[in-house]
Amino acid sequence: MREIKERTLHMIGNAHIDPVWLWQWQEGYHEVLASFRSALDRLEEYDDFVFVSSSAAFYEWVEKSDPEMFEEIRDRVAEGRWEIVGGWWIQPDCNIPSGESFVRQALYAQRYFQEKFGVTASVGYNVDSFGHHAMLPQLLKKSGLDYYVFTRPSPHEKGLPGRLFRWESDDGSQVLAYRIPFEYGTWGKDLEKHVRRCAGELREQVSELMCFYGVGNHGGGPTKENIDSIRRLSEREELPTLQFSSPNRYFEEVSNKNWRLPVVHEDLQHHASGCYAAHSGVKRWNRRAENLLATAEKLSTLASRVTGQQRHEDLAHAWKGVLFNQFHDILAGTSLEDAYDDARDLYGEAMAIAGRALNEAMQALAWNIDIPYQEGVRPLVVFNPHAWRVTGPVEIEIARLREGEVLVDEAGNPVPMQTAQSAATAQGRQRLVFVAELPALGYRTFRLVQPGNGQASSGPGGGGQQGSRQGSRPAAGGRPETAAVSQGLVEAGDTVLENERFRLEIDPDTGWFSSLRDKQAGTEVLSGPAARPVVIDDPSDTWGHNVFSFNDVVGEFRAESVKLIESGVVRSVVRIESRYRESLLVQDVAMYRELGTIDVSATVDWREPHKMLKLRFPTNLHFMRATYEIPYGHIERFANEEEKPGQSWLDLSGTARDSGDLYGLSILNDGKYSFDVNIRDIGLTVLRNPVYAHHIPAEPEEGGRYSYTDQGIQRFRYSLVPHNGGWADGATVRRACELNQRALPLLGTFHAGPLPQQASYISVDRANVDVTVLKPAEEGGATVVRAFETSGNRTRASIRLPEWQRVITAEFGPSEIKTFLVSNDPEGEVIEVDLIERPLKAEGART
């Protein structure tokens, strides 16, 4: 018996609270107050009881609604009996948010905890999230979180070498991770059964474990009966030592032991594989909000630096709204229907704030560009939000072109353009389309001119109305990194699109891609009908519990119309209208003269219950490897048909069957997160529509009336990027960024100003290092620059900041994120900081 007592169960009192799930946030808000009040009462009644809680958003709710209770919590934190864990704004889904969103979860939460309580969390805490991506160890470690606690996936969903292990990401960062035995919450009564289950998990090697207790999900926390039963059970000789404890205390104790713990170097997936496609709306809003905020921050920071513009919008407030909506039951699409009206409104607030800030920044920069007056000329300024040169499409609604009007760049060189159908059905408007080469994180001016006013004439293809087949290469052609097609036109018909590099053929009967040939590589990219919309029977619940592959195909969309709707010197577009029963799919397939991508704008009007829609792309490859984008990184996974989460790109690369060369196909998207890959093809999951918040074992009643997710109209974009070599050779990461953060055109006017007609404010000398963030520091008036290595290769890169008169040179490990604090004083320092903007002890950069 003495040997048993030498083992310890750390009893972790908590109240897991879903602020939104089968209820709306207002109910969750009240439950936070009630649960925190209950925990404070228990702390008063039991002098050995310890309580833990995460989520800065909850503390902020208490601070605003009950200042006296907030002060009680502050006292208990100072006493050491109320422990703050998590260090994030909320417990989010841990696959869908962007890498930068995970940074902001910690940035705003850890700084809040430091300001209000004088502490920061050291334990990452996502006990209810459905899976955990492989870059989390780095994001945690660089946010001051050395430990990680999770529950899902359970042992039957993923095997791990033990409850306690070291979790490592590609850059080498490690955290000590713990999988909670059985469950994070308990009923409100005697805990003997739960304690005995957890005690059965103790091993000779790992003789201390945590046992979580307290009423959860709708809050509640530890009850008197819970605490009394722990005290009673601690007297039992056949049970291990039971100790009221906290995750901090547990990790501090086990870290000092000489246990040889295994290292896990992979993601922790997955539970509820259907949730990554459930509710397309919330996922699209999330992607749009993340990208809009990132773009607004960059250009607002530039405008402040270059023009002295004072920012009036609170982008941190907007970010916090996005972070709250990333709570796992919201972003995963698993909450009740009314919750998505709330999420829509909160995302809308965030995007409205970001949109105003972005517009103010663009207007301030454009207003300071020196654009001399010229009769009959319309200026146009195009902004590039990326820290690399971009050659990409630009579209803008304008008043109708005047006869003979052409587009030229700032030097008067003609730029091919064409018009497309306006979004306005009233007369007098057109959509102008052209391809612009843009300087890195900067802008470039263009002009619509009429010949005869001293302007350059259009020359061959300088103008080019819709339907024109005349064109020439712009003065500044595509760079190799853009995968651009150097010259020639897009030859087009109803079923064929062809430029100098690719020939795409479309079957007129099905609307599927029958061939995509890379003429330069001498390779057929496809091995069968592609962009094939398949309908899959899906009777599973909202989470897709216990379903790992969705492959019960019950039908396919078939074309009702395949026709050429646009053809000119810039691009040609074929519209495919397809139908399945009462549902309609419209795909506008565009091929550009200069670009090495096939771009598709899709609209779905979905009318089916209990179905999934996928687009399938069979590839002409063998010896392939499947690579998925994950937050601030990438991961290779088995091609085993299982539904798996990813972000804005998925790549399949291998050996081309016809040429034997290394070749691949990347598929990019602007709002989808669920994919499958098998030995034949890639599946991009467009949507799935279970009943809202249906959770097995409950079953919908036969003939019952229910609301289904994803009914009605939704829109999204995807692009195909065939490439020689691997995905890094095809610049897949950058192409995906360009799809999600597109070039920003603004109609200008004439005015004097100090700025030139084109400018670049950041550049990087390595293609595998991307600058993702340019923002003001949270304090001190400096500027934050964040960058990460994209290809999984160690590299040395220089980041040039001409406006700050700086060059930052740093060593990046594989997939490493680095953050720099740049003084706005030219004589000031550049220092490397962690993700919550605290200086690192070791010097990481030089200027």
Side-chain angles (χ1 to χ4, degrees), residues 288-298 315 318-319 322 350 353-354:
R288 287 179 58 200
E290 289 174 332
N291 283 296
L292 188 57
L293 279 165
T295 299
E297 279 185 339
K298 293 176 196 173
L315 292 179
W319 266 113
V322 171
I353 292 171

Side-chain angles (χ1 to χ4, degrees), residues 50-87:
V50 178
F51 182 72
V52 303
S53 184
S54 70
S55 303
F58 296 169
Y59 293 85
E60 188 178 66
W61 284 352
V62 175
E63 181 185 16
K64 290 179 178 179
S65 57
D66 191 338
E68 290 186 5
M69 180 159 61
F70 190 75
E71 288 303 316
E72 286 186 69
I73 295 172
R74 285 164 57 100
D75 290 342
R76 291 303 188 183
V77 170
E79 183 187 6
R81 293 179 58 210
W82 182 303
E83 184 168 289
I84 292 172
V85 293

Side-chain angles (χ1 to χ4, degrees), residues 16 18 54-55 88 90-97 102 105 124-133 136 148-154 157 179-180 184 217 268-272 275-276 326-329 332 334 543:
H16 177 70
D18 291 328
S54 70
S55 303
W88 284 1
I90 207 77
Q91 289 186 41
D93 179 273
C94 289
N95 280 300
I96 299 173
F102 285 102
Q105 289 281 354
Y125 189 90
N126 287 299
V127 300
D128 197 24
S129 301
F130 308 144
H132 310 263
H133 70 83
L136 272 179
Y148 193 58
V149 176
F150 68 102
T151 306
R152 300 187 176 100
S154 298
E157 295 165 323
R179 178 156 67 181
I180 296 172
Y184 49 77
N217 286 341
L268 304 180
Q269 309 291 2
H270 51 72
H271 172 86
C275 68
Y276 302 112
Q326 290 173 345
F327 179 72
H328 51 269
D329 279 314
T334 53
W543 288 255

Side-chain angles (χ1 to χ4, degrees), residues 810-833:
E811 299 282 348
F812 287 79
S815 301
E816 185 177 7
I817 309 160
K818 283 186 175 289
T819 305
F820 304 99
L821 201 63
V822 181
S823 171
N824 290 326
D825 179 354
E827 302 300 320
E829 290 184 303
V830 175
I831 60 173
E832 187 173 355
V833 295

Side-chain angles (χ1 to χ4, degrees), residues 291 294-296 298-299 302 358 382-388 390 438-443 737-738 740-744 771-773:
N291 283 296
T295 299
K298 293 176 196 173
L299 292 190
L302 286 181
L358 177 59
V382 182
F383 295 88
N384 172 19
H386 303 292
W388 60 85
V390 168
L438 303 172
L441 196 59
Y443 64 84
C737 290
E738 292 162 16
N740 282 271
Q741 295 181 35
R742 299 168 71 84
L744 300 162
V771 174
T772 56
V773 172

Side-chain angles (χ1 to χ4, degrees), residues 348-363:
E349 179 191 33
M351 287 189 275
I353 292 171
R356 287 192 297 267
L358 177 59
N359 177 65
E360 290 176 4
M362 291 169 60
Q363 298 286 356

